[in-house]
Amino acid sequence: MDNILKFVVAIFLVTVAVSCTSKKEVKVQPNILWINCDDLGRELACYGNTDVYTPNMDKLAKQGVKYVNAYANAPVCSASRSSQITGTYPSAYNLLNHRTMDRVPLEEGVVPIMELFRKEGYFCTNGWAHKMTKNGKEDYNFSGKNFFDGTDWNQRAEGQPFFAQVQIHEPHRVFVEDKEHPLDADEITIPEVYPDHPIIRADWKLYLESVQTADKRVGYILDRLEKEGLADNTIVILFGDHGRPHLRDKQWLYEGGLAIPLIVRYPKKMNAGSVYEGLVSLVDVTASSLKFAGIKVQEYMHGKDVLNGEKREYMFGFRQRCGDAVDNIRSITDGRYKLIWNRMPELPYMQLTSYKKLQYPAFTLYKVLDKKGELKAPYNQFMAETRPEFELYDLKNDPNEFINLAESKEHTKIQKRLYGELSSMLNEVEKNMFVESPEAIERAKQGSHAFLVNGFKKKGLKPDASDEEILQKWEEKLLKN
């Protein structure tokens, strides 16, 4: 009888062991999908814009968590993308100058996030939403190769988890019309940060229609996940790589340049339709993505696991050279107040930037209106020949950032606190900051000038075209009706 009892117990223990082993073996790692929209601000219906038609992103927000205070760390693509893909602030590892002329490998021990995923068995991809057989945008400010395993998650081995990036070009300029859901320039609402002018209206209309085009591409991606049976085990993270492509926004540390939408859908794990009001940075998306996959966040990373419950107290912004526009700006916000530190205050806001001169009608419009004395306050502030060293804004009462409180005695303690936090962070992350050589800057300027000349030629403009001639071309294009 004792032998029979021992045999039964032994069989039971073996069964339990096999059961536990089986459960461990069948553990499924979640797929992680980043949908990265180029230059996408918060101009979505689910973020309160009543003019734009974005049913797919709105649906995603209802199925996931909407983060209403999410920000990029840099207001231009290469610096922002380099920052996010490493999980570090861009000035810490020579990632900040836009399309760095003298790119070098990352420091030893610092790696793109794909390497960390790959070590855990993930297949890493990067493709365009409209053509996932083609390599998607990278634009990293460091050298290297073979960052990704493919362009489409369907290239992976059967059952292999994937970390995929899908790039959407819109709403980056040049804007595209949405003929399926056209908008009326006379009926849309212009943000108060811009003067209400026909050129501005026409340009803003095209921006919103480009956002709508991006939304269609998002719909295609989400539909594909459903059809392939991947939706329930794929964490979808949608965001803009930085703020919207308009004057005083992209390439600047004002809200329009850094503020982005961020929507995360994790079926059965995150509360569908909820809203998170805390601060979130794109480097936090990096850290959180690793944690979602059960991968350790690296010590050199500056991101926090905000998507899984950690809190962020401050959000930082970084701006250096963008094309031929050399600059040096840093910012910090606690969500209510923002401090901007212009470390080259002798420069004008409207210094030459060939990219904007070619593609932003407002860049020329402001100059023409200012010459005529028709650019009124507060918009004419942007035409000043120099800048204050510090700009302090109350984002609650002055969301357009027009009223500089830096000289206000009532806000001295606030400015001192923010400056102290900003300085402390910069002293740590910028102690080995790379400084571009004069030769590299000159090459960047020459490249930007060539881009401008070539673009002017296509428009029928001479390289030395006057502001009035440039504006006339914009009028012909945007006010054609």
Side-chain angles (χ1 to χ4, degrees):
M1 189 70 178
D2 289 342
N3 290 336
I4 294 175
L5 181 61
K6 290 179 181 179
F7 176 76
V8 171
V9 170
I11 292 296
F12 173 76
L13 292 174
V14 170
T15 301
V16 171
V18 170
S19 175
C20 292
T21 302
S22 298
K23 288 181 180 179
K24 186 175 182 181
E25 288 176 351
V26 299
K27 180 182 178 182
V28 179
Q29 293 171 288
N31 304 311
I32 296 175
L33 170 60
W34 286 3
I35 303 178
N36 192 343
C37 299
D38 223 337
D39 294 20
L40 180 64
R42 295 182 188 152
E43 286 67 46
L44 309 177
C46 58
Y47 276 82
N49 190 296
T50 58
D51 296 323
V52 73
Y53 181 68
T54 52
N56 296 297
M57 289 190 254
D58 299 345
K59 180 180 179 181
L60 186 66
K62 290 179 181 178
Q63 297 172 338
V65 181
K66 179 175 65 177
Y67 296 82
V68 294
N69 285 303
Y71 294 88
N73 291 107
V76 69
C77 53
S78 69
S80 179
R81 289 167 181 266
S82 301
S83 173
Q84 187 188 24
I85 212 67
T86 58
T88 67
Y89 292 144
S91 57
Y93 297 103
N94 185 31
L95 307 176
L96 186 52
N97 289 299
H98 182 40
R99 294 184 178 148
T100 301
M101 301 305 296
D102 297 322
R103 293 188 303 165
V104 298
L106 290 167
E107 289 186 15
E108 185 175 355
V110 178
V111 298
I113 188 177
M114 295 79 73
E115 287 195 24
L116 302 175
F117 274 103
R118 195 176 286 119
K119 287 179 180 179
E120 297 300 320
Y122 276 76
F123 188 79
C124 300
T125 74
N126 184 34
W128 289 103
H130 65 283
K131 194 173 184 179
M132 290 182 67
T133 57
K134 185 178 179 181
N135 292 326
K137 183 174 182 177
E138 294 179 2
D139 222 357
Y140 305 142
N141 287 331
F142 53 88
S143 61
K145 58 183 179 179
N146 300 324
F147 294 128
F148 297 93
D149 302 313
T151 61
D152 192 319
W153 61 72
N154 67 11
Q155 298 161 344
R156 74 194 191 283
E158 185 177 355
Q160 184 179 11
F162 63 80
F163 168 60
Q165 293 191 52
V166 178
Q167 310 295 339
I168 297 178
H169 179 264
E170 292 81 16
H172 194 289
R173 294 177 185 265
V174 176
F175 295 148
V176 294
E177 294 181 329
D178 182 2
K179 295 183 179 179
E180 185 178 359
H181 295 284
L183 302 177
D184 188 335
D186 294 328
E187 297 296 327
I188 59 178
T189 301
I190 301 299
E192 294 179 357
V193 73
Y194 317 124
D196 193 344
H197 186 281
I199 289 285
I200 299 292
R201 282 189 165 275
D203 190 55
W204 184 254
K205 165 194 175 295
L206 287 176
Y207 165 65
L208 293 183
E209 290 190 5
S210 296
V211 172
Q212 293 177 175
T213 299
D215 183 77
K216 294 175 185 177
R217 302 199 192 284
V218 170
Y220 163 77
I221 298 165
L222 299 180
D223 287 346
R224 184 180 161 193
L225 289 176
E226 291 288 347
K227 291 176 181 178
E228 295 180 7
L230 296 170
D232 287 344
N233 192 46
T234 299
I235 303 169
V236 178
I237 305 176
L238 180 144
F239 51 87
D241 65 346
H242 53 74
R244 61 199 184 200
H246 292 274
L247 193 68
R248 204 178 180 269
D249 296 336
K250 182 177 178 178
Q251 299 188 358
W252 293 99
L253 301 186
Y254 300 111
E255 290 293 280
L258 295 175
I260 57 170
L262 173 63
I263 302 171
V264 181
R265 185 183 74 182
Y266 192 174
K268 301 178 182 180
K269 298 290 185 178
M270 300 178 77
N271 294 328
S274 58
V275 176
Y276 182 81
E277 297 184 350
L279 294 173
V280 187
S281 160
L282 278 183
V283 291
D284 300 331
V285 172
T286 307
S288 298
S289 295
L290 291 172
K291 292 290 286 188
F292 278 137
I295 302 173
K296 181 182 177 182
V297 178
Q298 304 300 293
E299 291 185 4
Y300 62 79
M301 290 183 170
H302 300 118
K304 297 178 179 293
D305 185 20
V306 175
L307 306 188
N308 290 296
E310 282 193 62
K311 303 291 183 182
R312 171 171 287 280
E313 194 171 357
Y314 297 103
M315 168 62 211
F316 301 101
F318 304 79
R319 155 75 199 267
Q320 210 80 358
R321 179 186 58 74
C322 290
D324 44 5
V326 177
D327 217 323
N328 188 330
I329 316 174
R330 304 291 184 267
S331 70
I332 179 174
T333 181
D334 59 8
R336 169 68 186 274
Y337 293 97
K338 180 194 284 185
L339 180 68
I340 297 175
W341 183 8
N342 293 306
R343 302 205 285 191
M344 298 179 74
E346 70 278 6
L347 295 175
Y349 295 101
M350 289 285 284
Q351 67 166 308
L352 173 65
T353 165
S354 294
Y355 158 67
K356 290 191 175 183
K357 185 174 182 179
L358 176 64
Q359 295 195 344
Y360 286 46
F363 186 83
T364 300
L365 177 66
Y366 270 47
K367 291 188 173 184
V368 172
L369 292 179
D370 188 58
K371 290 177 188 177
K372 295 179 179 179
E374 296 176 3
L375 188 64
K376 306 300 181 183
Y379 311 108
N380 59 359
Q381 295 176 5
F382 210 59
M383 306 305 296
E385 294 183 1
T386 60
R387 297 171 287 179
E389 183 178 7
F390 294 103
E391 300 175 54
L392 177 65
Y393 298 105
D394 180 345
L395 299 178
K396 179 180 179 180
N397 296 311
D398 178 29
N400 296 315
E401 298 165 290
F402 282 137
I403 304 172
N404 185 5
L405 302 173
E407 300 300 322
S408 167
K409 293 182 179 180
E410 296 178 10
H411 297 85
T412 300
K413 288 185 178 180
I414 294 171
Q415 180 169 336
K416 185 176 181 180
R417 170 175 60 85
L418 292 177
Y419 178 71
E421 294 289 345
L422 179 60
S423 297
S424 177
M425 183 277 297
L426 293 176
N427 286 339
E428 177 61 28
V429 305
E430 297 190 344
K431 55 189 176 185
N432 298 316
M433 189 174 74
F434 180 91
V435 178
E436 276 194 309
S437 68
E439 294 77 15
I441 293 173
E442 182 58 31
R443 293 203 309 274
K445 289 184 175 182
Q446 290 175 0
S448 293
H449 180 68
F451 171 76
L452 176 66
V453 170
N454 184 55
F456 270 11
K457 183 178 181 180
K458 292 179 180 178
K459 292 185 175 186
L461 290 167
K462 296 180 180 180
D464 59 349
S466 68
D467 292 328
E468 288 75 16
E469 290 171 328
I470 299 170
L471 184 59
Q472 183 178 349
K473 288 293 183 180
W474 282 118
E475 290 173 343
E476 292 171 1
K477 178 180 179 179
L478 297 174
L479 306 181
K480 53 190 175 184
N481 296 325

